[in-house]
Amino acid sequence: MTERIVLAYSGGLDTSVAIGWIGEATGAEVIAVAVDVGQGGESLETIRQRALGCGAVEAYVADARDEFANEYAMPTLKANALYQGHYPLVSAISRPVIVKHLVKAAREFGATTVAHGCTGKGNDQVRFEVGIQTLGPDLKCIAPVRDLALTRDKAIAFAEEKGLPIETTKKNPYSIDQNVWGRAVETGYLEDIWNAPTKDIYDYTATPEFPPAPDEVTITFEAGVPVAIDGVKHTPLQIIQEMNRRAGAQGVGRIDVVEDRLVGIKSREIYEAPGAMALITAHKHLEDVTIEREQARFKATVGQRWSELVYDGQWFSPLKRSLDAFIEDTQKYVSGDIRMVLHGGQAIVNGRRSETSLYDFDLATYDTGDTFDQSMARGFIELWGMSSKVASGRDLRVQGK
Ligand code: ARG
């Protein structure tokens, strides 16, 4: 029987050409797999037809938007995950959901190999292949751009020669990856890290210099998950979409960073994640009110490690699973409302209320009604400083000799 290969298919030039290119190089039949993670643009049916027009023997399409929002974006929010303190893992969290569908399609269509369109320089090749190794250890991986010398020029020539139903003339100087959690733009003019991004780069956000009137929004959370906006219930997907719209209109969530790739290269990326950044801000502020201090401090460390694992392609690893369990446990009381003002590129929290709050007005107040016994503080400070005081006494003694 002819060998079958499932290909992660975006509908763009490179993966469209990859269908025939892989076929010619390996003699295998290619099954195109397109997964909707809220990247917008063309319909899955259009993409499916194009894949078939480019020579795929089958095309598998999946609307994974809710799955992505519930099982990938929500854990990222619970972790307040920002790789290197900046990047909300937009592309990094979409790869594992795509991998799940690739493996599912491989089983359904009897494929032995999985192909993807990544280059050999980035993180995404690692995320795809580590994910596939984990979920389908018997499956092989192939990347035509990296392994079969499929360059851009060759792709254009191939598409023209074979008359593939795909446009080859539209030249976008940027490499863009987007989904409902955000958008990543790199290459071209941005590779000079002194160059400021030009306005045409942005799509999810309006220019924050000319904001419309401030927009005040109240987000309700239940156990760490946003469930309503301004009192109206929504699914996680709808909440991300709505916050993309409202925070995006105010220019919230533009990020310009030089980041450390797993393969050891520093690279410059422009991100737009209006919904994600507004939601992470709101969620963190609710945690400040509802999570006990030591747990909160430790959770920040866990969140950072979680971000590194996910960035590095370890979504399905045992450590990531263990950290998920810790994070999930911290979210039990992260319920309540956060009110924030979206304006001029910022999302600023100005109110919080929660039935499970740890904020005790009577302890915090400086007015009458104060229940805090200030006389306890003297002894506490004495003991708190004791070990440093003893050490410092030793240092002075030794130095004095
Ligand atoms: N640097 C990001 C990451 O590794 C995004 C990668 C894809 N970016 C792109 N513009 N195509 O997760």
Side-chain angles (χ1 to χ4, degrees):
M1 209 178 99
T2 315
E3 210 200 325
R4 298 189 127 192
I5 296 180
V6 293
L7 166 71
Y9 182 64
S10 70
L13 173 70
D14 296 293
T15 52
S16 293
V17 168
I19 296 171
W21 195 268
I22 293 171
E24 288 192 2
T26 65
E29 291 178 342
V30 175
I31 292 126
V33 175
V35 183
D36 186 355
V37 284
Q39 60 270 48
E42 300 174 313
S43 75
L44 282 175
E45 185 49 30
T46 306
I47 293 176
R48 209 179 82 81
Q49 290 305 333
R50 183 171 313 129
L52 296 171
C54 289
V57 294
E58 307 265 9
Y60 165 112
V61 293
D63 178 355
R65 290 176 304 164
D66 281 303
E67 180 185 4
F68 177 63
N70 296 338
E71 296 170 34
Y72 297 82
M74 289 303 107
T76 307
L77 176 60
K78 289 177 183 172
N80 299 319
L82 295 173
Y83 178 68
Q84 291 186 301
H86 299 294
Y87 164 45
L89 299 172
V90 172
S91 304
I93 60 170
S94 76
R95 303 315 172 202
V97 68
I98 296 170
V99 163
K100 269 204 175 166
H101 285 276
L102 286 167
V103 172
K104 197 166 155 224
R107 300 303 179 219
E108 231 169 273
F109 295 104
T112 53
T113 302
V114 175
H116 59 77
C118 303
T119 71
K121 287 177 75 169
N123 299 310
D124 286 327
Q125 54 172 341
V126 181
R127 297 170 185 150
F128 275 119
E129 294 180 31
V130 170
I132 286 159
Q133 279 170 19
T134 315
L135 300 189
D138 54 305
L139 296 170
K140 289 176 290 210
C141 291
I142 187 168
V145 174
R146 181 192 65 194
D147 306 329
L148 303 174
L150 176 56
T151 60
R152 190 86 190 174
D153 295 346
K154 286 191 200 155
I156 293 171
F158 187 94
E160 281 167 0
E161 183 193 317
K162 308 275 175 188
L164 298 183
I166 174 104
E167 220 179 306
T168 54
T169 46
K170 220 171 56 202
K171 197 178 166 312
N172 189 332
Y174 306 113
S175 160
I176 299 170
D177 183 50
Q178 62 190 48
N179 59 54
V180 73
W181 197 238
R183 186 165 177 268
V185 185
E186 66 176 346
T187 69
Y189 163 88
L190 298 168
E191 283 173 357
D192 178 338
I193 60 176
W194 182 247
N195 283 343
T198 47
K199 290 194 171 51
D200 61 305
I201 282 172
Y202 298 105
D203 185 40
Y204 284 16
T205 54
T207 306
E209 287 92 321
F210 309 104
D215 183 9
E216 193 171 77
V217 58
T218 300
I219 302 168
T220 305
F221 289 84
E222 271 170 26
V225 175
V227 294
I229 296 177
D230 294 330
V232 182
K233 289 235 171 244
H234 295 292
T235 64
L237 175 66
Q238 291 165 336
I239 288 194
I240 302 166
Q241 288 169 331
E242 175 73 355
M243 290 307 294
N244 274 341
R245 196 180 61 71
R246 286 176 69 170
Q250 298 284 341
V252 171
R254 288 188 174 184
I255 303 155
D256 177 343
V257 283
V258 172
E259 74 190 29
D260 283 309
R261 283 191 195 161
L262 175 58
V263 295
I265 300 171
K266 283 193 188 288
S267 67
R268 201 267 189 98
E269 192 98 49
I270 307 296
Y271 298 107
E272 300 180 272
M277 294 308 282
L279 287 168
I280 289 172
T281 303
H283 177 259
K284 173 69 176 65
H285 279 258
L286 186 58
E287 287 191 340
D288 292 344
V289 176
T290 54
I291 298 190
E292 182 272 333
R293 184 185 60 174
E294 292 305 320
Q295 199 182 24
R297 288 179 173 182
F298 194 71
K299 180 176 180 284
T301 310
V302 170
Q304 198 180 333
R305 189 74 190 91
W306 190 96
S307 308
E308 290 163 1
L309 285 170
V310 171
Y311 185 89
D312 291 348
Q314 299 285 346
W315 181 273
F316 300 107
S317 72
L319 178 56
K320 149 78 172 43
R321 206 183 314 136
S322 301
L323 299 188
D324 275 332
F326 171 84
I327 293 169
E328 193 55 42
D329 184 65
T330 64
Q331 299 298 293
K332 203 153 130 202
Y333 298 116
V334 184
S335 302
D337 295 332
I338 289 291
R339 192 181 58 226
M340 67 200 314
V341 175
L342 310 168
H343 191 59
Q346 289 192 290
I348 297 190
V349 170
N350 68 1
R352 59 287 272 164
R353 68 182 166 204
S354 166
E355 303 268 307
T356 44
S357 164
L358 295 172
Y359 179 82
D360 184 333
F361 181 87
D362 294 337
L363 282 177
T365 187
Y366 284 98
D367 296 338
T368 44
D370 182 1
T371 59
F372 185 81
D373 177 1
Q374 298 200 21
S375 70
M376 297 187 302
R378 281 184 82 91
F380 165 73
I381 296 165
E382 191 74 22
L383 295 184
W384 183 246
M386 183 73 85
S387 69
S388 286
K389 189 172 157 187
V390 170
S392 148
R394 186 269 320 270
D395 295 351
L396 290 170
R397 202 173 65 239
V398 173
Q399 283 155 18
K401 267 205 248 165

